[in-house]
Amino acid sequence: MATISASSAVVIAAVIPVLAAVLLYRSESFEPAAYPEHELTQMGPPLKVPKRNNRFLEGSEKIGEGKLVSPEDIAYDPKAGVVYTGGEDGWISRVTLNDSAADSVVEKWVNTGGRPLGIAHGLHGELIVADSYKGLLNISRDGVIELLSDEAEGLKFKLTDAVDVGPDGTLYFTDASYKHSVHDAFFDLMEGRPHGRFLSYDPSTKQTRVLLKDLYFANGVALSADQTFVIICETPMMRCKKYYIQGPQAGSVGMFIENLPGMPDNIRYDGEGLYWIAIGTESSLFKVLQKYPSLRKVIGMVMKYIGRPKTEKNGGTIAVDLDGKPSAHYYDPNLSMATSCNKIGYHLYCGSLISPYITRLDLTRYPAT
């Protein structure tokens, strides 16, 4: 009877896992697409920012620690002195800000039953919420929830993401992906197909319009300071576009900023001449992955069968002026998944997709230099 030699056994033991991996790869239904070559060739090196603070977490404080669950967006009500934020547990919380982080008070206000992401103040004291699962919501001052819209052109929203309010009350918002939910958002980035849409909702007619489609993970939105255009962030493309809503260019699209040093999430205007773009992670690794669908497929399989590998780092925020020119970059090697940064007074408040608190930094004591 023939026996297998020790060396042959070693070879077989090494080959079997490889063959199994090949078969699994070929049978996997997740098939990423190539990002358009013309889009990739237009992407240059990350833009240079004149001022930096690369130790964002040093000196920062934790607001509402342990009482907030992944507070994604931050909307400030200056009259009440409170911040509204939405958590992964469905709660919209009101956070009363105090000089001491420990004295800040968190109040669970309204639970949407979904996952509130973008938040904006309406013109009449209501709160407008982009809930990733529920759709576009109106929450009255006494906490009554009304669904405004959850589909457009016969296509349901899958990941209602960010929202801002126009001067006439029109709501501008994004559906980051009509295919993947918020818990599958990384698959959308790995897949490399433009599932995102930028939309508007007219409260007077209750009509929802698709203003832009075929966007790559349409994320944060912010009305321009002069209210002539809306800025839309495209996360995997490291850029923000602008869609004109008034003037001779109304209905046209331009570029606001590109070649960001990381992947943008929400964008906020501080009322003082600067937009603050939250950066979830630096862009170097993803720029490599963009070029190779096969690598993104492997990562997608790892995410599916093992779990998402943590590669994010150097998250934070970049401040840009009214023309999209960068002025300051705040980041930290140990910071990741920053989702919204809002300048309130002399502090910077940042939300997160993973942290149980809001991060606050005193900009006068820890400026970008």
Side-chain angles (χ1 to χ4, degrees):
M1 183 176 178
T3 58
I4 299 176
S5 66
S7 58
S8 297
V10 170
V11 171
I12 293 173
V15 168
I16 288 178
V18 174
L19 291 176
V22 170
L23 290 173
L24 182 62
Y25 181 90
R26 290 183 176 179
S27 63
E28 174 58 48
S29 60
F30 179 63
E31 287 293 344
Y35 278 88
E37 186 64 29
H38 69 279
E39 295 272 16
L40 298 184
T41 54
Q42 291 175 6
M43 296 175 66
L47 52 80
K48 300 296 183 181
V49 185
K51 296 180 180 180
R52 297 184 300 165
N53 176 342
N54 61 1
R55 289 293 182 268
F56 182 96
L57 294 179
E58 292 184 11
S60 66
E61 303 171 279
K62 298 174 181 178
I63 304 294
E65 185 175 13
K67 299 176 183 178
L68 298 171
V69 184
S70 304
E72 210 264 359
D73 197 10
I74 296 170
Y76 180 57
D77 180 355
K79 294 181 180 179
V82 300
V83 158
Y84 287 82
T85 186
E88 192 174 23
D89 54 0
W91 280 103
I92 302 289
S93 295
R94 288 191 291 211
V95 184
T96 303
L97 303 177
N98 289 292
D99 291 339
S100 170
D103 293 335
S104 297
V105 179
V106 176
E107 174 197 357
K108 300 290 187 182
W109 181 49
V110 174
N111 197 302
T112 67
R115 201 322 179 185
L117 294 177
I119 299 177
H121 292 286
L123 301 183
H124 308 291
E126 72 277 21
L127 204 66
I128 308 299
V129 176
D131 188 293
S132 62
Y133 291 116
K134 300 293 184 176
L136 190 66
L137 306 177
N138 182 103
I139 305 181
S140 66
R141 281 178 286 188
D142 54 0
V144 177
I145 301 174
E146 176 190 1
L147 174 63
L148 300 178
S149 180
D150 63 357
E151 66 176 333
E153 298 181 348
L155 191 60
K156 285 276 191 180
F157 308 151
K158 193 75 172 181
L159 210 169
T160 325
D161 200 322
V163 62
D164 205 355
V165 183
D168 60 352
T170 300
L171 309 180
Y172 296 96
F173 66 105
T174 51
D175 179 24
S177 173
Y178 60 76
K179 181 177 180 181
H180 297 279
S181 71
V182 65
H183 287 295
D184 296 328
F186 285 96
F187 282 99
D188 195 276
L189 303 181
M190 291 298 110
E191 186 173 341
R193 291 184 172 86
H195 299 131
R197 297 183 291 175
F198 171 56
L199 312 98
S200 67
Y201 175 82
D202 186 338
S204 62
T205 63
K206 302 186 185 303
Q207 295 296 309
T208 303
R209 294 177 54 211
V210 177
L211 303 178
L212 292 174
K213 58 179 62 177
D214 298 329
L215 296 172
Y216 290 92
F217 205 85
N219 208 323
V221 296
L223 203 71
S224 66
D226 63 3
Q227 301 182 333
T228 60
F229 60 85
V230 180
I231 304 167
I232 312 105
C233 299
E234 277 187 290
T235 299
M237 305 309 290
M238 279 72 78
R239 68 190 179 193
C240 301
K241 292 179 177 178
K242 54 185 176 180
Y243 179 90
Y244 288 91
I245 58 174
Q246 294 186 31
Q249 294 179 282
S252 64
V253 185
M255 190 64 67
F256 180 69
I257 188 171
E258 54 188 338
N259 297 320
L260 286 164
M263 302 175 74
D265 200 302
N266 282 302
I267 177 171
R268 284 282 182 180
Y269 179 57
D270 65 7
E272 301 175 348
L274 291 176
Y275 299 98
W276 295 83
I277 304 172
I279 301 295
T281 180
E282 67 173 33
S283 58
S284 56
L285 175 61
F286 194 75
K287 280 192 172 183
V288 174
L289 294 177
Q290 280 180 317
K291 301 176 182 178
Y292 303 103
S294 57
L295 284 180
R296 283 185 273 120
K297 180 172 181 175
V298 170
I299 291 178
M301 292 172 63
V302 171
M303 291 164 56
K304 182 176 179 179
Y305 297 108
I306 300 176
R308 184 174 65 83
K310 188 182 185 306
T311 59
E312 297 85 15
K313 61 179 180 178
N314 286 322
T317 183
I318 180 171
V320 303
D321 67 16
L322 301 183
D323 298 317
K325 183 179 179 181
S327 64
H329 186 191
Y330 293 82
Y331 61 101
D332 193 286
N334 295 314
L335 179 62
S336 65
M337 309 309 291
T339 49
S340 178
C341 290
N342 198 345
K343 183 177 180 291
I344 303 171
Y346 52 86
H347 284 102
L348 186 64
Y349 292 81
C350 292
S352 170
L353 202 62
I354 57 176
S355 298
Y357 51 81
I358 292 171
T359 302
R360 179 170 74 178
L361 184 71
D362 187 330
L363 296 177
T364 59
R365 294 181 62 190
Y366 304 97
T369 58

